[in-house]
Amino acid sequence: MNDLPQDTPAKDPFHVGEQALQTRAGKRDRMREIGRRVIRPFMPDQHREFFGQLPFVVLGSVDADGWPWASIIAGQIGFLSSPDPKQLDVNAMPLVDDPLGKALSVGTPIGLLGIEMSTRRRNRMNARVTRTGTGGFSLGVDQSFGNCPKYIQTREIAYVRDPGAKGAHPATRSFEHLDHAAQSAIENADAFFVASSAQPAEDSIADGVDVSHRGGEAGFIRVDGDTLTIPDYVGNFFFNTLGNFLLTPKAGLIFPDFETGDVLMLTGTVDLLWEDDPRVRTLQNAERAWRFKLDHGLRIPDALPFRSRSTRDI
């Protein structure tokens, strides 16, 4: 067990964007107290153990031009380890063409999401790079907290190759428009991950980069050319992603194809659609929504060393 104090942060753990969304939803007072209780400046032991049993982790970063990116790093079980409650070591590196690689320097804010598809558990971290090396890097914890399993499709994962094996993979393709294959992949997706960022607020300890899971039944994302309309369902009222959008209306999305191993990485601008917008009413069960407009993206074939299928198909 760690010996860090279990008291709550003295300051509100939510920044002004998150606070504004909580106020709009009528949850501000409640979330202030919940946030102080469950958002910690260190990882509890169960989170440290949880990260150590994952085959992949999702990270959020921002490139030199201010565009956010969501990325996936995979490894053998145990590639994530925590020597103490304030540090997570990632003993693997991003894919060669992933923008995350250029963003990894000491002090850089990074968002991190650990998700175990077989159990639907997920834990989040907002952190900063504290060490870089040829085979990995370390993150220092700013905020650590858990998330509920809502909207996660249960999947079983099996490796198809050694994640650490070096070798050529098919060429990465960059693009500025979604072709038919990309549109079809997005329309059929039941999950993706979104990175967002916000500037620090003077009255809050929260800042930096966040990365989050979004899921639903296949077809929950509407595609219109290079624009995606994404419903926002009822959740935990933290509003980490939408609160960031309110301050910095940009997003990085990653769509992993669990059957082929390909990943589609997009970055672009965001518009929020509020609950009284008629477009929201056409989205089943949506509380609000957001529209993503592509600026540019990457398709990395065979990026994942594992394959996965929904347990509903087994």
Side-chain angles (χ1 to χ4, degrees):
M1 298 294 290
N2 70 68
D3 58 359
L4 291 181
Q6 300 296 309
D7 55 340
T8 56
K11 294 185 178 181
D12 194 316
F14 299 108
H15 65 58
V16 292
E18 294 161 336
Q19 292 174 23
L21 268 293
Q22 291 164 2
T23 298
R24 188 180 183 102
K27 304 291 184 179
R28 179 71 196 113
D29 291 340
R30 176 188 173 200
M31 296 315 300
R32 181 188 296 111
E33 295 308 312
I34 290 176
R36 286 173 173 166
R37 190 166 64 247
V38 304
I39 298 176
R40 308 174 179 92
F42 62 90
M43 289 178 287
D45 288 339
Q46 63 177 343
H47 288 202
R48 298 171 65 201
E49 295 167 1
F50 171 76
F51 286 125
Q53 65 194 38
L54 298 178
F56 72 92
V57 67
V58 185
L59 301 100
S61 63
V62 177
D63 68 20
D65 295 318
W67 293 108
W69 294 92
S71 305
I72 290 179
I73 295 181
Q76 291 286 4
I77 302 301
F79 83 101
L80 298 169
S81 60
S82 173
D84 65 66
K86 290 284 291 182
Q87 179 175 321
L88 184 70
D89 293 336
V90 183
N91 298 302
M93 292 298 288
L95 294 166
V96 172
D97 300 312
D98 188 331
L100 174 63
K102 293 182 178 179
L104 290 176
S105 60
V106 172
T108 298
I110 297 289
L112 183 141
L113 168 68
I115 183 167
E116 189 173 55
M117 307 297 284
S118 60
T119 63
R120 300 170 62 227
R121 289 178 63 194
R122 56 177 164 171
N123 289 310
R124 303 260 288 277
M125 183 193 301
N126 298 326
R128 296 181 186 276
V129 178
T130 58
R131 177 194 64 86
T132 61
T134 57
F137 55 97
S138 298
L139 299 174
V141 179
D142 286 340
Q143 293 183 324
S144 174
F145 53 101
N147 271 165
C148 70
K150 282 185 178 180
Y151 316 117
I152 300 176
Q153 305 296 332
T154 307
R155 291 180 171 275
E156 295 295 336
I157 287 177
Y159 290 102
V160 295
R161 64 173 182 270
D162 181 355
K166 302 298 182 183
H169 63 76
T172 298
R173 188 170 74 83
S174 60
F175 54 85
E176 295 180 354
H177 299 284
L178 296 175
D179 60 16
H180 176 73
Q183 291 176 348
S184 179
I186 294 169
E187 288 173 333
N188 290 316
D190 62 13
F192 72 96
F193 303 95
V194 52
S196 58
S197 67
Q199 297 299 314
E202 292 182 359
D203 61 346
S204 172
I205 64 172
D207 69 285
V209 182
D210 180 81
V211 68
S212 179
H213 167 273
R214 288 293 187 272
E217 295 296 327
F220 78 106
I221 303 169
R222 294 189 178 178
V223 182
D224 180 16
D226 293 331
T227 300
L228 314 181
T229 301
I230 299 163
D232 188 67
Y233 303 125
V234 65
N236 58 13
F237 300 106
F238 281 21
F239 292 118
N240 304 124
T241 299
L242 268 61
N244 281 353
F245 288 166
L246 198 64
L247 302 181
T248 309
K250 295 180 179 180
L253 315 182
I254 188 167
F255 291 86
D257 188 324
F258 291 111
E259 295 183 1
T260 68
D262 298 353
V263 297
L264 196 65
M265 302 175 67
L266 315 177
T267 191
T269 57
V270 169
D271 289 313
L272 290 174
L273 305 181
W274 302 110
E275 57 275 2
D276 55 355
D277 191 303
R279 291 170 291 185
V280 174
R281 300 188 193 115
T282 67
L283 302 171
Q284 187 175 9
N285 299 323
E287 297 282 304
R288 57 198 68 76
W290 47 284
R291 285 167 62 87
F292 170 87
K293 179 68 168 63
L294 175 70
D295 188 86
H296 58 291
L298 298 170
R299 179 183 283 113
I300 306 181
D302 195 25
L304 305 178
F306 56 82
R307 301 293 183 266
S308 173
R309 58 177 176 162
S310 169
T311 55
R312 291 179 299 183
D313 301 329
I314 298 175

Coordinates of all heavy atoms in Angstrom, one line a residue, residues 53-120:
Q53 N -1.6 -4.8 -16.4 CA -2.1 -6.0 -17.0 C -2.7 -5.7 -18.4 O -3.4 -6.5 -19.0 CB -3.2 -6.6 -16.1 CG -4.4 -5.7 -15.9 CD -5.3 -6.2 -14.7 OE1 -4.8 -6.7 -13.7 NE2 -6.6 -6.1 -14.9
L54 N -2.4 -4.5 -18.9 CA -3.1 -4.1 -20.2 C -2.2 -4.4 -21.4 O -0.9 -4.3 -21.3 CB -3.4 -2.6 -20.2 CG -4.3 -2.1 -19.1 CD1 -4.5 -0.6 -19.2 CD2 -5.7 -2.8 -19.3
P55 N -2.8 -4.8 -22.6 CA -2.0 -5.0 -23.8 C -1.8 -3.7 -24.6 O -1.0 -3.7 -25.5 CB -2.9 -6.0 -24.6 CG -4.3 -5.7 -24.2 CD -4.2 -5.2 -22.7
F56 N -2.5 -2.7 -24.3 CA -2.4 -1.4 -25.0 C -2.9 -0.3 -24.1 O -3.6 -0.5 -23.2 CB -3.1 -1.4 -26.4 CG -4.6 -1.3 -26.3 CD1 -5.2 -0.1 -26.3 CD2 -5.4 -2.4 -26.2 CE1 -6.6 0.0 -26.2 CE2 -6.8 -2.4 -26.1 CZ -7.4 -1.1 -26.1
V57 N -2.4 0.9 -24.5 CA -2.8 2.1 -23.8 C -3.1 3.2 -24.8 O -2.5 3.2 -25.9 CB -1.8 2.6 -22.7 CG1 -0.5 3.0 -23.4 CG2 -2.3 3.7 -21.8
V58 N -4.0 4.1 -24.5 CA -4.3 5.2 -25.5 C -3.8 6.5 -24.9 O -4.0 6.7 -23.7 CB -5.9 5.3 -25.7 CG1 -6.2 6.4 -26.7 CG2 -6.5 4.0 -26.1
L59 N -3.2 7.3 -25.7 CA -2.6 8.5 -25.2 C -3.0 9.7 -26.1 O -3.3 9.6 -27.3 CB -1.0 8.5 -25.3 CG -0.4 7.3 -24.4 CD1 -0.1 6.2 -25.3 CD2 0.8 7.8 -23.7
G60 N -3.1 10.9 -25.5 CA -3.4 12.1 -26.2 C -2.2 13.1 -26.1 O -1.6 13.2 -25.0
S61 N -2.0 13.8 -27.2 CA -0.9 14.7 -27.2 C -1.3 15.9 -28.2 O -2.3 15.8 -28.9 CB 0.4 14.1 -27.7 OG 0.3 13.6 -29.0
V62 N -0.5 16.9 -28.2 CA -0.7 18.1 -29.1 C 0.6 18.3 -29.8 O 1.7 18.3 -29.2 CB -1.1 19.3 -28.3 CG1 -1.2 20.5 -29.2 CG2 -2.4 19.1 -27.6
D63 N 0.6 18.4 -31.2 CA 1.8 18.6 -32.0 C 2.2 20.1 -31.9 O 1.6 21.0 -31.3 CB 1.6 18.1 -33.4 CG 0.6 18.9 -34.2 OD1 0.4 20.0 -33.9 OD2 0.2 18.3 -35.3
A64 N 3.3 20.3 -32.6 CA 4.0 21.7 -32.6 C 3.1 22.7 -33.2 O 3.3 23.9 -33.0 CB 5.3 21.6 -33.3
D65 N 2.1 22.3 -34.1 CA 1.2 23.3 -34.7 C -0.1 23.4 -33.9 O -1.0 24.1 -34.4 CB 0.9 22.8 -36.1 CG 2.2 22.8 -37.0 OD1 2.9 23.8 -36.9 OD2 2.4 21.9 -37.8
G66 N -0.2 22.8 -32.8 CA -1.4 22.9 -32.0 C -2.5 22.0 -32.2 O -3.6 22.1 -31.7
W67 N -2.2 20.9 -33.1 CA -3.3 19.9 -33.4 C -3.2 18.8 -32.4 O -2.1 18.2 -32.2 CB -3.1 19.4 -34.8 CG -3.4 20.5 -35.8 CD1 -2.5 21.1 -36.7 CD2 -4.7 21.0 -36.2 NE1 -3.1 22.0 -37.5 CE2 -4.5 21.9 -37.2 CE3 -6.0 20.8 -35.7 CZ2 -5.5 22.6 -37.8 CZ3 -7.0 21.5 -36.3 CH2 -6.8 22.4 -37.3
P68 N -4.3 18.4 -31.8 CA -4.3 17.3 -30.9 C -4.4 15.9 -31.7 O -4.9 15.9 -32.8 CB -5.6 17.4 -30.1 CG -6.5 18.3 -30.9 CD -5.6 19.1 -31.8
W69 N -3.8 14.9 -31.1 CA -3.8 13.6 -31.7 C -4.0 12.5 -30.6 O -3.6 12.7 -29.5 CB -2.4 13.2 -32.3 CG -2.1 14.1 -33.5 CD1 -1.4 15.3 -33.5 CD2 -2.4 13.8 -34.9 NE1 -1.2 15.7 -34.8 CE2 -1.9 14.9 -35.6 CE3 -3.1 12.8 -35.5 CZ2 -2.0 14.9 -37.0 CZ3 -3.3 12.8 -36.9 CH2 -2.7 13.9 -37.6
A70 N -4.8 11.5 -30.9 CA -5.0 10.4 -30.1 C -4.2 9.2 -30.7 O -4.2 9.0 -31.9 CB -6.5 10.0 -30.0
S71 N -3.5 8.5 -29.8 CA -2.5 7.5 -30.3 C -2.7 6.2 -29.5 O -3.2 6.2 -28.3 CB -1.1 7.9 -30.1 OG -0.9 9.2 -30.8
I72 N -2.3 5.1 -30.0 CA -2.3 3.8 -29.3 C -0.9 3.3 -29.3 O -0.2 3.2 -30.3 CB -3.3 2.8 -30.0 CG1 -4.7 3.2 -29.8 CG2 -3.0 1.4 -29.4 CD1 -5.7 2.3 -30.4
I73 N -0.4 2.8 -28.1 CA 0.8 2.1 -27.9 C 0.5 0.8 -27.4 O -0.2 0.7 -26.3 CB 1.8 2.9 -27.0 CG1 2.2 4.2 -27.7 CG2 3.0 2.0 -26.7 CD1 3.2 5.0 -26.8
A74 N 1.0 -0.3 -28.0 CA 0.7 -1.7 -27.6 C 2.0 -2.3 -27.1 O 3.1 -1.9 -27.5 CB 0.1 -2.5 -28.7
G75 N 1.9 -3.3 -26.3 CA 3.1 -4.1 -25.8 C 2.7 -5.4 -25.2 O 1.5 -5.7 -25.1
Q76 N 3.7 -6.2 -24.8 CA 3.3 -7.4 -24.1 C 2.8 -7.0 -22.7 O 3.2 -5.9 -22.2 CB 4.6 -8.2 -23.9 CG 5.1 -8.9 -25.2 CD 4.2 -10.0 -25.7 OE1 3.2 -10.3 -25.1 NE2 4.6 -10.7 -26.7
I77 N 2.0 -7.8 -22.1 CA 1.5 -7.6 -20.8 C 2.7 -7.3 -19.9 O 3.6 -8.0 -19.8 CB 0.7 -8.8 -20.3 CG1 -0.5 -9.1 -21.2 CG2 0.2 -8.5 -18.8 CD1 -1.5 -8.0 -21.4
G78 N 2.6 -6.2 -19.2 CA 3.6 -5.7 -18.3 C 4.5 -4.6 -18.8 O 5.4 -4.1 -18.2
F79 N 4.2 -4.2 -20.1 CA 5.0 -3.1 -20.7 C 4.7 -1.7 -19.9 O 5.4 -0.8 -20.1 CB 4.7 -2.9 -22.2 CG 3.5 -2.2 -22.6 CD1 3.6 -0.9 -23.0 CD2 2.2 -2.8 -22.5 CE1 2.5 -0.1 -23.4 CE2 1.1 -2.0 -23.0 CZ 1.2 -0.7 -23.4
L80 N 3.6 -1.7 -19.2 CA 3.3 -0.5 -18.4 C 3.6 -0.9 -16.9 O 3.1 -2.0 -16.5 CB 1.8 -0.2 -18.5 CG 1.3 0.3 -19.9 CD1 -0.2 0.4 -19.9 CD2 1.9 1.7 -20.2
S81 N 4.3 -0.1 -16.2 CA 4.6 -0.4 -14.8 C 4.7 0.9 -14.0 O 4.9 2.0 -14.6 CB 5.9 -1.2 -14.7 OG 7.0 -0.4 -15.2
S82 N 4.4 0.8 -12.7 CA 4.4 1.9 -11.8 C 5.3 1.7 -10.7 O 5.0 1.0 -9.7 CB 3.0 2.2 -11.4 OG 2.9 3.2 -10.4
P83 N 6.5 2.3 -10.7 CA 7.4 2.2 -9.5 C 7.0 2.9 -8.3 O 7.4 2.5 -7.2 CB 8.7 2.8 -10.0 CG 8.3 3.8 -11.1 CD 7.1 3.2 -11.7
D84 N 6.1 3.9 -8.4 CA 5.5 4.6 -7.2 C 4.2 5.2 -7.7 O 3.9 5.3 -8.9 CB 6.5 5.6 -6.7 CG 6.8 6.7 -7.6 OD1 5.9 7.5 -7.9 OD2 8.0 6.8 -8.1
P85 N 3.4 5.7 -6.8 CA 2.1 6.2 -7.1 C 2.0 7.4 -8.0 O 1.0 7.7 -8.5 CB 1.4 6.5 -5.7 CG 2.2 5.6 -4.8 CD 3.6 5.5 -5.3
K86 N 3.2 8.1 -8.1 CA 3.2 9.3 -8.9 C 3.8 9.1 -10.3 O 3.9 10.0 -11.1 CB 4.0 10.4 -8.2 CG 3.3 10.9 -6.9 CD 2.2 11.9 -7.3 CE 2.8 13.2 -7.9 NZ 1.7 14.2 -8.2
Q87 N 4.2 7.8 -10.6 CA 4.9 7.6 -11.9 C 4.4 6.4 -12.6 O 4.1 5.3 -12.0 CB 6.4 7.5 -11.7 CG 7.2 7.2 -12.9 CD 8.7 7.2 -12.6 OE1 9.2 8.0 -11.8 NE2 9.4 6.3 -13.3
L88 N 4.2 6.5 -13.9 CA 3.9 5.3 -14.8 C 5.0 5.3 -15.9 O 5.3 6.2 -16.6 CB 2.6 5.5 -15.5 CG 2.1 4.3 -16.3 CD1 1.8 3.1 -15.4 CD2 0.9 4.7 -17.1
D89 N 5.6 4.1 -16.0 CA 6.6 3.9 -17.0 C 6.0 3.1 -18.2 O 5.3 2.1 -18.0 CB 7.8 3.0 -16.5 CG 8.6 3.7 -15.4 OD1 8.6 5.0 -15.4 OD2 9.2 3.0 -14.6
V90 N 6.2 3.7 -19.4 CA 5.8 3.1 -20.6 C 7.0 2.5 -21.3 O 7.8 3.2 -21.9 CB 5.0 4.1 -21.5 CG1 4.5 3.4 -22.8 CG2 3.9 4.8 -20.7
N91 N 7.1 1.2 -21.3 CA 8.3 0.5 -21.9 C 8.0 0.1 -23.3 O 8.1 -1.1 -23.7 CB 8.7 -0.7 -21.0 CG 9.1 -0.2 -19.6 OD1 10.0 0.6 -19.5 ND2 8.4 -0.7 -18.6
A92 N 7.6 1.0 -24.2 CA 7.4 0.9 -25.6 C 7.3 2.2 -26.2 O 7.2 3.2 -25.5 CB 6.0 0.1 -25.8
M93 N 7.4 2.3 -27.5 CA 7.4 3.6 -28.2 C 6.3 3.7 -29.2 O 5.8 2.6 -29.7 CB 8.8 3.8 -28.9 CG 9.9 4.0 -27.9 SD 9.7 5.5 -26.9 CE 10.0 6.8 -28.1
P94 N 5.9 4.9 -29.6 CA 4.8 5.0 -30.6 C 5.3 4.5 -32.0 O 6.5 4.3 -32.2 CB 4.6 6.6 -30.7 CG 5.2 7.1 -29.5 CD 6.3 6.2 -29.1
L95 N 4.4 4.2 -32.9 CA 4.7 3.9 -34.2 C 5.6 5.0 -34.9 O 5.4 6.1 -34.5 CB 3.5 3.6 -35.0 CG 2.6 2.4 -34.6 CD1 1.2 2.5 -35.3 CD2 3.3 1.1 -35.0
V96 N 6.4 4.6 -35.8 CA 7.3 5.5 -36.4 C 6.6 6.8 -36.9 O 7.1 7.9 -36.8 CB 8.1 4.8 -37.6 CG1 8.9 5.9 -38.4 CG2 9.0 3.7 -37.0
D97 N 5.4 6.6 -37.5 CA 4.8 7.8 -38.2 C 3.8 8.5 -37.3 O 3.1 9.4 -37.7 CB 4.1 7.3 -39.5 CG 5.0 6.7 -40.5 OD1 6.1 7.4 -40.7 OD2 4.8 5.6 -41.0
D98 N 3.6 8.0 -36.0 CA 2.7 8.6 -35.1 C 3.2 10.0 -34.6 O 4.3 10.0 -34.1 CB 2.5 7.6 -33.9 CG 1.4 8.1 -33.0 OD1 1.1 9.3 -32.9 OD2 0.8 7.2 -32.3
P99 N 2.4 11.0 -34.7 CA 2.9 12.4 -34.2 C 3.2 12.4 -32.7 O 4.0 13.2 -32.3 CB 1.6 13.3 -34.5 CG 0.9 12.6 -35.6 CD 1.1 11.1 -35.4
L100 N 2.8 11.4 -32.0 CA 3.1 11.3 -30.6 C 4.6 11.3 -30.4 O 5.2 11.8 -29.4 CB 2.4 10.1 -29.9 CG 2.8 9.8 -28.5 CD1 2.4 11.0 -27.5 CD2 2.2 8.5 -28.0
G101 N 5.3 10.6 -31.3 CA 6.8 10.4 -31.1 C 7.5 11.7 -31.1 O 8.4 11.9 -30.3
K102 N 7.1 12.7 -31.9 CA 7.8 14.0 -31.9 C 7.3 14.9 -30.7 O 8.0 15.8 -30.3 CB 7.4 14.7 -33.2 CG 8.1 14.1 -34.4 CD 7.8 14.9 -35.7 CE 8.4 14.3 -36.9 NZ 8.1 15.1 -38.1
A103 N 6.2 14.5 -30.1 CA 5.7 15.3 -28.9 C 6.3 14.9 -27.6 O 6.2 15.6 -26.6 CB 4.2 15.2 -28.8
L104 N 7.0 13.8 -27.6 CA 7.5 13.2 -26.3 C 8.8 14.0 -25.9 O 9.9 13.6 -26.3 CB 7.8 11.7 -26.4 CG 6.5 10.9 -26.5 CD1 6.9 9.4 -26.6 CD2 5.6 11.0 -25.2
S105 N 8.7 15.0 -25.1 CA 9.8 15.6 -24.5 C 9.5 16.0 -23.0 O 8.3 16.1 -22.7 CB 10.2 16.9 -25.2 OG 9.1 17.8 -25.3
V106 N 10.5 16.1 -22.2 CA 10.2 16.3 -20.8 C 9.4 17.5 -20.5 O 9.7 18.6 -21.1 CB 11.6 16.4 -20.0 CG1 11.3 16.8 -18.5 CG2 12.3 15.0 -20.1
G107 N 8.3 17.4 -19.7 CA 7.4 18.5 -19.4 C 6.2 18.5 -20.3 O 5.2 19.3 -20.0
T108 N 6.2 17.8 -21.4 CA 5.0 17.8 -22.3 C 3.8 17.2 -21.6 O 3.9 16.1 -21.0 CB 5.3 17.0 -23.6 OG1 6.4 17.6 -24.2 CG2 4.1 17.0 -24.5
P109 N 2.6 17.8 -21.6 CA 1.4 17.2 -21.1 C 0.9 16.1 -22.0 O 0.9 16.2 -23.2 CB 0.4 18.4 -21.0 CG 0.9 19.4 -22.0 CD 2.4 19.2 -22.1
I110 N 0.5 15.0 -21.3 CA 0.0 13.8 -22.0 C -1.3 13.4 -21.3 O -1.3 13.3 -20.1 CB 1.0 12.7 -22.0 CG1 2.3 13.1 -22.8 CG2 0.4 11.4 -22.6 CD1 2.1 13.2 -24.3
G111 N -2.3 13.0 -22.1 CA -3.5 12.4 -21.6 C -3.3 10.9 -21.7 O -2.7 10.4 -22.7
L112 N -3.8 10.1 -20.8 CA -3.7 8.6 -20.9 C -4.9 8.0 -20.5 O -5.6 8.3 -19.5 CB -2.5 8.2 -20.0 CG -2.1 6.7 -20.1 CD1 -0.6 6.5 -20.1 CD2 -2.8 6.0 -18.9
L113 N -5.3 6.9 -21.2 CA -6.5 6.1 -20.9 C -6.1 4.6 -20.9 O -5.6 4.2 -22.0 CB -7.6 6.4 -21.9 CG -8.8 5.4 -21.8 CD1 -9.6 5.6 -20.5 CD2 -9.7 5.6 -23.0
G114 N -6.3 3.9 -19.8 CA -6.1 2.5 -19.8 C -7.5 1.9 -19.9 O -8.4 2.2 -19.1
I115 N -7.7 1.0 -20.8 CA -9.0 0.3 -21.0 C -8.8 -1.1 -21.2 O -8.0 -1.6 -22.0 CB -9.8 1.0 -22.2 CG1 -11.2 0.4 -22.3 CG2 -9.0 0.9 -23.5 CD1 -12.1 1.3 -23.2
E116 N -9.5 -1.9 -20.4 CA -9.5 -3.4 -20.5 C -10.8 -3.8 -21.2 O -11.9 -3.9 -20.5 CB -9.3 -4.0 -19.1 CG -9.1 -5.5 -19.1 CD -8.8 -6.0 -17.7 OE1 -9.6 -5.8 -16.8 OE2 -7.7 -6.6 -17.6
M117 N -10.7 -4.2 -22.5 CA -11.9 -4.4 -23.2 C -12.7 -5.6 -22.7 O -13.9 -5.7 -22.8 CB -11.6 -4.6 -24.7 CG -10.7 -3.5 -25.3 SD -11.5 -1.9 -25.4 CE -12.7 -2.2 -26.7
S118 N -12.0 -6.6 -22.2 CA -12.7 -7.9 -21.8 C -13.6 -7.6 -20.5 O -14.6 -8.3 -20.3 CB -11.7 -9.0 -21.5 OG -10.8 -8.6 -20.5
T119 N -13.2 -6.7 -19.7 CA -13.9 -6.4 -18.5 C -14.6 -5.1 -18.5 O -15.4 -4.8 -17.6 CB -13.0 -6.4 -17.2 OG1 -12.0 -5.4 -17.3 CG2 -12.3 -7.8 -17.1
R120 N -14.3 -4.2 -19.5 CA -14.9 -2.9 -19.6 C -14.4 -1.9 -18.6 O -15.0 -0.8 -18.4 CB -16.4 -2.9 -19.7 CG -17.0 -3.8 -20.8 CD -18.5 -4.1 -20.7 NE -19.2 -2.8 -20.7 CZ -20.2 -2.5 -19.9 NH1 -20.5 -3.4 -18.9 NH2 -20.9 -1.4 -20.0

